[in-house]
Every structure is written in structure tokens, then in C-alpha cells.
Amino acid sequence: MLTDHLTRQFAFVTEIDRLKSVLRQTDLIDGSRRENTAEHSWHVCVLAMALHEHAEAPRPDLDRVLRMLLLHDVVEIDAGDTFAYDTVGYEDKAEREAAAARRLFGLLPVEQGTAWRALWEEFEAGVTPEARFANAVDRLLPVVQNFAAGGGSWTRHGVARSQVLRRVEPVRDVSGTLWAYVAALLDRAVERGFLGDA
Amino acid sequence: MLTDHLTRQFAFVTEIDRLKSVLRQTDLIDGSRRENTAEHSWHVCVLAMALHEHAEAPRPDLDRVLRMLLLHDVVEIDAGDTFAYDTVGYEDKAEREAAAARRLFGLLPVEQGTAWRALWEEFEAGVTPEARFANAVDRLLPVVQNFAAGGGSWTRHGVARSQVLRRVEPVRDVSGTLWAYVAALLDRAVERGFLGDA
């Protein structure tokens, strides 16, 4: 029984290696290649650790945020990454991802798989303080990356400031301080020609 | 002041993007390329989450384990990855990594940088239950990957079972259950020719 339990845990850990081959629209800051979802998942966890102190009440529990972020994109193994500004891809995104969550978390021992899937669903629902903070940093990270890259995927896709502002709106809900900082950063991005002025 | 604080946090998050370009000896399980340290850091966190229930007393606090693992390899941005079975590279590893920790965590606001560097030092020292568990899963993950890959870096470097057993010895300290499972896995790896029988 315990052997079967461990075999299921190892099967899950083996399967999610594939997240390293799911490409996102964001490039590495040095422009050398597109980033993948596994390395993004690590990066966004560190961002959450760094910025957690700015989160306003009701203060999210950082540890639940990290567990959520470690798992939040695992579904992309089956469902792929949907670019933030792709309206067509978004149509059946929820359905594809729910099926992926059933299959992937179903590889784990039942109790663990159920708990992890619930954490993923909590992230998706975006209601709890943890889900809202996790979502905010997830939206914020590409801004940091594209700004540092001098445009990155913004330039490639001709994205305008108003689109990014809408996309990072969740930041406003979790921290006024962060929101002001990000808005100023986007102004600078427009000034420097990294982002369209619309 | 707060702007400077945030600027430092963003500078750190920007700088660590480079961890995505540090290559490890381990390949992706599908053999398509070597993995990088950023995606490894994510993977090992999920492994820690999955296996934490098997940790024996004194039970490590999983949340501290995760924070430690998110940061444990950041020093490789400056110090590079040292292959587990490379005895020459290990000679000045500690010194190179300590200098890297000073520079990298020094990018953060002072209080945060000090706390994060302490967490990294705790990992390196390997004494607390959290550091021991983090170290054990860090040693264990390449075993899962190489086994699933049918040899991977073991085959490429002609590694033998006795070397891997020594390398994963920290697993024995944190969980008898896990240790037994891993020892059996290595036996199977030898039977299948993934690993040398010595």
C-alpha cells in the first residue's frame, strides 16, 4: 500500500517534468529564448516572497500562496499556455484546464490529489486573499520582465499600456503601494517606447 | 524610501532571471535538452510538497523548506552549477557560492536580504530538520528523473549505484520509508542497465 502511494507520488513528479517544455509568450530578459512555465512558476514564487510585505489586509498567508503558485500552471501540461491578450484562446481555456487538473492531480494518491486540485481551483476562483495575491504577482511578473528586457513580448505583439493596465488590475486590489509603483513603471515603459501609448 | 525599497526588490527579481540560463547536468526526462536551475528549483519544491508526509520526527516545517528551496540555488547565477560527481569543482565551491550570496541577496532591501541569506546559509549548513529535508529531496530528484529517462546523466557520465547511494544518503536520515523505496529503485535501475553495478 505504501509502495503504491509512493509510486503515485513519483509518477506525478515525473509527469510534471513536461511543464519545462511548455513555452510562454514572455522571453528571458536577455532575449535569448522564450521562457517555459516551470521556470516561470519558480520565478513567480520568489516574486511573491519578495512582495508579500506590501499586501494589504486581509493579509494573505504566504505559505498557502507559495503552494498555490507552485501548482497554478501545472494544468498547462495538457492545456497549453494561453497568451494573455489572445481572446480566442480564452474561450475554452477553463474547460481544457479543468480536464487537465482532473487527469494530472488524479495521478497522486487520492487524498493528496484532491487537496492539491482544491488549491488549484481556489487559485482559479480568485476569491480568497491568497488566490488574489497569487493572481496579482502572476500578472505582475511579465511586467517586470518586459520592462527589464526593453519591451520583450509587448513589442513583439504591439501591446499598449491600457491593455497591460487592465491585465494587472488585480495588483490594485492587493496593494495600493505596488499599484502606484507599477503604474509609474508603465508610464516609463511608454516614454521609452517599450509599450504603445494607448 | 518606499520606492527605493521596491526598486531593490524588483532589481533582485530581475537579476535572478539569469538562473534560467544556468544549466545542470540532468536532462529533461524526454531527453530533449539539459535542464536549468530555475526549473529545477520549481520541480524540487513540488517534490518536497509531495513527500513531506514521509518525513520522520523532528518533522520539518514544510513552509520553511519551500522558501529555502526556492532560494537554495540562486547563488549558481554567479557560481555556476557544480556536478555532483565532480571532485575538482567542489574544492572552491563553498567560497564561490558565499561570494555569490553576498552579492545577490545584497541587491534586496537590507533586512530582507539578510533574512534570505540566512535561509540559504541554513540550507548549506544542513543541520536543522528543514535543511536536512530540503537537502534530501534535492538529492532525490535527479534519481527520479534519471530513472524515468532510462539513464540520463548517469549513463552519460558512467555513474555507478554506489556513487548514487552515497549521494542520496541524506534521504536515509529523513525517512526510512523513502530510503527503502529509493534503494529498491536503484536496484531496478541497475537491472535495467541505467546505472553501473558497482
Side-chain angles (χ1 to χ4, degrees):
Chain A
M1 276 310 266
L2 191 52
T3 300
D4 178 60
H5 192 89
L6 273 164
T7 299
R8 293 181 77 122
Q9 291 172 325
F10 277 55
F12 180 83
V13 169
T14 298
E15 179 69 11
I16 63 170
D17 199 69
R18 293 170 56 203
L19 199 60
K20 299 169 187 171
S21 301
V22 175
L23 297 184
R24 291 165 49 83
Q25 285 296 335
T26 313
D27 296 332
L28 298 203
I29 292 173
D30 69 8
S32 56
R33 60 169 173 83
R34 280 165 65 186
E35 77 170 347
N36 67 62
T37 304
E39 57 200 6
H40 159 74
S41 298
W42 162 75
H43 206 175
V44 75
C45 283
V46 181
L47 182 65
M49 274 178 72
L51 300 183
H52 178 250
E53 60 176 316
H54 305 293
E56 291 159 9
R59 205 71 184 286
D61 178 90
L62 177 58
D63 302 314
R64 294 194 64 240
V65 169
L66 294 180
R67 295 177 195 208
M68 204 176 270
L69 284 172
L70 286 167
L71 301 175
H72 82 295
D73 272 342
V74 158
V75 294
E76 292 185 4
I77 288 170
D78 287 353
D81 177 54
T82 307
F83 184 49
Y85 306 102
D86 165 15
T87 44
V88 179
Y90 263 75
E91 281 176 14
D92 64 340
K93 182 174 183 275
E95 201 178 305
R96 281 183 289 125
E97 292 191 346
R102 279 191 300 275
R103 185 185 80 79
L104 289 160
F105 296 123
L107 295 171
L108 287 162
V110 175
E111 204 178 329
Q112 191 167 51
T114 305
W116 290 21
R117 192 171 135 195
L119 206 55
W120 174 77
E121 281 165 355
E122 182 182 334
F123 172 81
E124 286 296 305
V127 173
T128 63
E130 287 74 22
R132 288 167 54 224
F133 186 72
N135 188 35
V137 289
D138 194 36
R139 303 289 178 105
L140 181 55
L141 183 52
V143 173
V144 181
Q145 292 170 288
N146 282 330
F147 186 84
S153 63
W154 289 339
T155 313
R156 194 164 59 248
H157 292 279
V159 173
R161 172 171 43 190
S162 58
Q163 290 175 285
V164 180
L165 273 173
R166 251 198 316 277
R167 177 86 191 150
V168 295
E169 185 84 43
V171 173
R172 191 205 293 255
D173 289 338
V174 303
S175 167
T177 309
L178 260 183
W179 176 253
Y181 192 86
V182 171
L185 201 70
L186 293 179
D187 288 344
R188 265 198 287 159
V190 171
E191 275 163 37
R192 298 188 189 178
F194 303 163
L195 199 54
D197 184 14
Chain B
M1 274 310 264
L2 189 54
T3 300
D4 179 60
H5 192 89
L6 273 164
T7 299
R8 293 181 77 120
Q9 292 173 323
F10 277 54
F12 179 84
V13 169
T14 298
E15 179 67 11
I16 63 169
D17 198 69
R18 292 169 56 202
L19 199 60
K20 299 170 188 170
S21 301
V22 175
L23 295 185
R24 291 165 50 83
Q25 285 296 336
T26 312
D27 296 331
L28 298 202
I29 291 174
D30 68 10
S32 56
R33 61 170 173 85
R34 280 164 66 187
E35 76 170 348
N36 68 62
T37 304
E39 59 200 5
H40 160 74
S41 298
W42 161 76
H43 206 176
V44 75
C45 283
V46 181
L47 182 65
M49 274 178 72
L51 300 184
H52 178 251
E53 61 176 317
H54 305 293
E56 291 159 10
R59 205 73 185 286
D61 178 88
L62 177 59
D63 302 314
R64 292 193 64 241
V65 169
L66 294 179
R67 294 176 196 209
M68 204 175 270
L69 284 172
L70 287 168
L71 301 175
H72 81 296
D73 273 342
V74 158
V75 294
E76 292 185 4
I77 287 170
D78 287 353
D81 177 54
T82 307
F83 183 47
Y85 306 103
D86 164 15
T87 46
V88 178
Y90 263 74
E91 280 174 15
D92 63 341
K93 181 175 184 274
E95 201 178 304
R96 281 183 288 125
E97 291 190 348
R102 280 191 299 277
R103 185 185 79 78
L104 289 160
F105 296 125
L107 295 171
L108 286 162
V110 176
E111 203 180 328
Q112 191 167 51
T114 305
W116 289 22
R117 193 171 135 195
L119 206 55
W120 174 77
E121 282 165 355
E122 182 182 334
F123 173 81
E124 287 296 304
V127 174
T128 62
E130 285 75 20
R132 289 167 56 224
F133 186 71
N135 188 35
V137 289
D138 194 35
R139 304 288 180 105
L140 182 54
L141 182 52
V143 173
V144 180
Q145 292 170 287
N146 282 330
F147 185 86
S153 63
W154 290 338
T155 312
R156 193 165 62 247
H157 293 279
V159 174
R161 171 171 45 189
S162 58
Q163 290 176 284
V164 180
L165 273 173
R166 253 198 317 278
R167 178 85 190 150
V168 296
E169 185 84 43
V171 172
R172 192 206 293 256
D173 289 338
V174 302
S175 167
T177 309
L178 258 183
W179 175 253
Y181 190 86
V182 171
L185 201 69
L186 293 179
D187 289 343
R188 265 197 288 160
V190 171
E191 277 165 32
R192 298 188 189 177
F194 303 162
L195 198 55
D197 185 14

